[in-house]
Amino acid sequence: MQDVRERVTLYFTLSMDYIPVEKNIEMGQLRVDVLDAILPGRHLYRNTYCEFYLNEETVFKTHAAEQYLQPAWNEFFEVEVRSRIDARFRVTLYVYEDDALSRLSFGNALIDLQRLEPCKRQDFTLQLGATSGSIRLQLLFSPEWITRARRHYSSS
């Protein structure tokens, strides 16, 4: 008696779409150190300050620096980022006008948070426009899983 086996081969088509899913590495705390700026020397600017926006909401405003061409702030702040993928993070440099009641936008720059390497402090020099000067920042992104771990396992 012989064992007769049939081989059956089936083919089918499978269609898949990739849907990006937010991971804990895309959410977390962003620390921003606002260092200084270099302004073009055509005019003397006084009382310059920066405002930072996350998804078009103001998250921080520096004090007004009194220096003329190289205002220095040396301030920092932290903000919670829900998604580095969808975040629109922007800095705008303002100058108070002579009457100190009105302000003039001197320039702005977008900051791509996806370029940040997690848990590593990075220096950035951002151009504020074609001829508006630049601003120096230090950024540190700590993903949510690290900030959660710090909360649960603190040494205090």
Side-chain angles (χ1 to χ4, degrees), residues 45-49 62-68 70-73:
Y45 303 102
R46 192 172 174 161
N47 296 326
T48 55
Y49 68 96
T62 65
H63 73 279
E66 297 289 328
Q67 295 90 344
Y68 288 105
Q70 283 189 298
W73 295 280

mmCIF file of all heavy atoms in Angstrom, residues 45-49 62-68 70-73:
data_model
loop_
_atom_site.group_PDB
_atom_site.id
_atom_site.type_symbol
_atom_site.label_atom_id
_atom_site.label_comp_id
_atom_site.label_asym_id
_atom_site.label_seq_id
_atom_site.Cartn_x
_atom_site.Cartn_y
_atom_site.Cartn_z
ATOM 1 N N TYR A 45 19.328 97.697 19.142
ATOM 2 C CA TYR A 45 18.082 97.155 19.676
ATOM 3 C C TYR A 45 18.196 97.041 21.178
ATOM 4 O O TYR A 45 19.182 96.559 21.699
ATOM 5 C CB TYR A 45 17.799 95.783 19.062
ATOM 6 C CG TYR A 45 17.726 95.825 17.573
ATOM 7 C CD1 TYR A 45 18.794 95.401 16.804
ATOM 8 C CD2 TYR A 45 16.590 96.300 16.932
ATOM 9 C CE1 TYR A 45 18.737 95.445 15.424
ATOM 10 C CE2 TYR A 45 16.526 96.351 15.558
ATOM 11 C CZ TYR A 45 17.594 95.922 14.806
ATOM 12 O OH TYR A 45 17.540 95.966 13.451
ATOM 13 N N ARG A 46 17.167 97.470 21.847
ATOM 14 C CA ARG A 46 17.151 97.405 23.290
ATOM 15 C C ARG A 46 15.856 96.744 23.725
ATOM 16 O O ARG A 46 14.847 96.827 23.034
ATOM 17 C CB ARG A 46 17.241 98.814 23.853
ATOM 18 C CG ARG A 46 17.509 98.821 25.306
ATOM 19 C CD ARG A 46 17.778 100.223 25.775
ATOM 20 N NE ARG A 46 17.873 100.136 27.218
ATOM 21 C CZ ARG A 46 18.435 101.028 27.959
ATOM 22 N NH1 ARG A 46 18.937 102.096 27.406
ATOM 23 N NH2 ARG A 46 18.486 100.892 29.250
ATOM 24 N N ASN A 47 15.884 96.108 24.862
ATOM 25 C CA ASN A 47 14.698 95.432 25.383
ATOM 26 C C ASN A 47 14.191 94.347 24.437
ATOM 27 O O ASN A 47 13.037 94.358 24.005
ATOM 28 C CB ASN A 47 13.586 96.435 25.698
ATOM 29 C CG ASN A 47 13.977 97.379 26.797
ATOM 30 O OD1 ASN A 47 14.685 97.013 27.725
ATOM 31 N ND2 ASN A 47 13.532 98.622 26.696
ATOM 32 N N THR A 48 15.061 93.423 24.127
ATOM 33 C CA THR A 48 14.679 92.289 23.295
ATOM 34 C C THR A 48 14.292 91.115 24.196
ATOM 35 O O THR A 48 14.879 90.924 25.262
ATOM 36 C CB THR A 48 15.820 91.852 22.371
ATOM 37 O OG1 THR A 48 16.974 91.581 23.160
ATOM 38 C CG2 THR A 48 16.151 92.928 21.360
ATOM 39 N N TYR A 49 13.314 90.356 23.765
ATOM 40 C CA TYR A 49 12.895 89.176 24.508
ATOM 41 C C TYR A 49 12.387 88.123 23.528
ATOM 42 O O TYR A 49 12.102 88.409 22.370
ATOM 43 C CB TYR A 49 11.832 89.521 25.555
ATOM 44 C CG TYR A 49 10.500 89.938 24.996
ATOM 45 C CD1 TYR A 49 9.462 89.006 24.861
ATOM 46 C CD2 TYR A 49 10.263 91.251 24.603
ATOM 47 C CE1 TYR A 49 8.237 89.386 24.359
ATOM 48 C CE2 TYR A 49 9.043 91.631 24.097
ATOM 49 C CZ TYR A 49 8.037 90.698 23.971
ATOM 50 O OH TYR A 49 6.830 91.069 23.465
ATOM 51 N N THR A 62 10.851 85.103 27.863
ATOM 52 C CA THR A 62 12.042 85.509 28.617
ATOM 53 C C THR A 62 11.855 86.940 29.128
ATOM 54 O O THR A 62 10.959 87.664 28.707
ATOM 55 C CB THR A 62 13.313 85.465 27.743
ATOM 56 O OG1 THR A 62 13.196 86.438 26.696
ATOM 57 C CG2 THR A 62 13.551 84.082 27.166
ATOM 58 N N HIS A 63 12.748 87.337 30.021
ATOM 59 C CA HIS A 63 12.752 88.743 30.455
ATOM 60 C C HIS A 63 13.330 89.588 29.315
ATOM 61 O O HIS A 63 13.939 89.063 28.387
ATOM 62 C CB HIS A 63 13.556 88.908 31.742
ATOM 63 C CG HIS A 63 15.038 88.800 31.542
ATOM 64 N ND1 HIS A 63 15.693 87.580 31.455
ATOM 65 C CD2 HIS A 63 15.995 89.761 31.379
ATOM 66 C CE1 HIS A 63 16.988 87.801 31.258
ATOM 67 N NE2 HIS A 63 17.192 89.100 31.204
ATOM 68 N N ALA A 64 13.168 90.885 29.391
ATOM 69 C CA ALA A 64 13.695 91.780 28.362
ATOM 70 C C ALA A 64 15.172 92.046 28.635
ATOM 71 O O ALA A 64 15.535 92.537 29.707
ATOM 72 C CB ALA A 64 12.919 93.086 28.344
ATOM 73 N N ALA A 65 16.009 91.711 27.679
ATOM 74 C CA ALA A 65 17.450 91.914 27.825
ATOM 75 C C ALA A 65 17.808 93.343 27.431
ATOM 76 O O ALA A 65 17.285 93.886 26.463
ATOM 77 C CB ALA A 65 18.211 90.921 26.948
ATOM 78 N N GLU A 66 18.723 93.934 28.172
ATOM 79 C CA GLU A 66 19.109 95.330 27.954
ATOM 80 C C GLU A 66 20.261 95.491 26.954
ATOM 81 O O GLU A 66 20.526 96.583 26.508
ATOM 82 C CB GLU A 66 19.522 95.966 29.292
ATOM 83 C CG GLU A 66 18.407 96.035 30.312
ATOM 84 C CD GLU A 66 17.335 97.053 29.961
ATOM 85 O OE1 GLU A 66 17.660 98.079 29.336
ATOM 86 O OE2 GLU A 66 16.170 96.811 30.304
ATOM 87 N N GLN A 67 20.955 94.415 26.627
ATOM 88 C CA GLN A 67 22.092 94.523 25.720
ATOM 89 C C GLN A 67 21.617 94.889 24.310
ATOM 90 O O GLN A 67 20.499 94.600 23.930
ATOM 91 C CB GLN A 67 22.890 93.204 25.658
ATOM 92 C CG GLN A 67 23.541 92.839 26.956
ATOM 93 C CD GLN A 67 22.649 91.976 27.837
ATOM 94 O OE1 GLN A 67 21.453 91.879 27.637
ATOM 95 N NE2 GLN A 67 23.248 91.372 28.840
ATOM 96 N N TYR A 68 22.529 95.466 23.539
ATOM 97 C CA TYR A 68 22.136 95.960 22.220
ATOM 98 C C TYR A 68 22.291 94.915 21.118
ATOM 99 O O TYR A 68 21.325 94.523 20.497
ATOM 100 C CB TYR A 68 22.927 97.220 21.867
ATOM 101 C CG TYR A 68 22.484 98.414 22.667
ATOM 102 C CD1 TYR A 68 23.247 98.904 23.705
ATOM 103 C CD2 TYR A 68 21.274 99.028 22.392
ATOM 104 C CE1 TYR A 68 22.833 99.996 24.436
ATOM 105 C CE2 TYR A 68 20.842 100.116 23.120
ATOM 106 C CZ TYR A 68 21.627 100.607 24.142
ATOM 107 O OH TYR A 68 21.209 101.676 24.863
ATOM 108 N N GLN A 70 24.115 91.820 21.308
ATOM 109 C CA GLN A 70 24.189 90.435 21.755
ATOM 110 C C GLN A 70 23.418 90.247 23.055
ATOM 111 O O GLN A 70 24.007 90.084 24.122
ATOM 112 C CB GLN A 70 25.636 89.999 21.940
ATOM 113 C CG GLN A 70 26.338 89.690 20.640
ATOM 114 C CD GLN A 70 27.689 89.057 20.905
ATOM 115 O OE1 GLN A 70 28.549 89.677 21.516
ATOM 116 N NE2 GLN A 70 27.838 87.835 20.445
ATOM 117 N N PRO A 71 22.091 90.254 22.977
ATOM 118 C CA PRO A 71 21.318 90.061 24.208
ATOM 119 C C PRO A 71 21.525 88.654 24.755
ATOM 120 O O PRO A 71 21.569 87.682 24.013
ATOM 121 C CB PRO A 71 19.869 90.275 23.749
ATOM 122 C CG PRO A 71 19.882 90.032 22.285
ATOM 123 C CD PRO A 71 21.241 90.405 21.808
ATOM 124 N N ALA A 72 21.691 88.563 26.067
ATOM 125 C CA ALA A 72 21.871 87.271 26.734
ATOM 126 C C ALA A 72 20.763 87.102 27.769
ATOM 127 O O ALA A 72 20.482 88.023 28.540
ATOM 128 C CB ALA A 72 23.235 87.204 27.398
ATOM 129 N N TRP A 73 20.163 85.931 27.789
ATOM 130 C CA TRP A 73 19.085 85.663 28.739
ATOM 131 C C TRP A 73 19.515 84.656 29.796
ATOM 132 O O TRP A 73 19.199 84.825 30.950
ATOM 133 C CB TRP A 73 17.838 85.164 28.003
ATOM 134 C CG TRP A 73 17.271 86.214 27.109
ATOM 135 C CD1 TRP A 73 16.488 87.262 27.475
ATOM 136 C CD2 TRP A 73 17.472 86.345 25.710
ATOM 137 N NE1 TRP A 73 16.178 88.035 26.390
ATOM 138 C CE2 TRP A 73 16.774 87.490 25.286
ATOM 139 C CE3 TRP A 73 18.167 85.616 24.756
ATOM 140 C CZ2 TRP A 73 16.746 87.900 23.962
ATOM 141 C CZ3 TRP A 73 18.141 86.026 23.439
ATOM 142 C CH2 TRP A 73 17.438 87.151 23.063
#
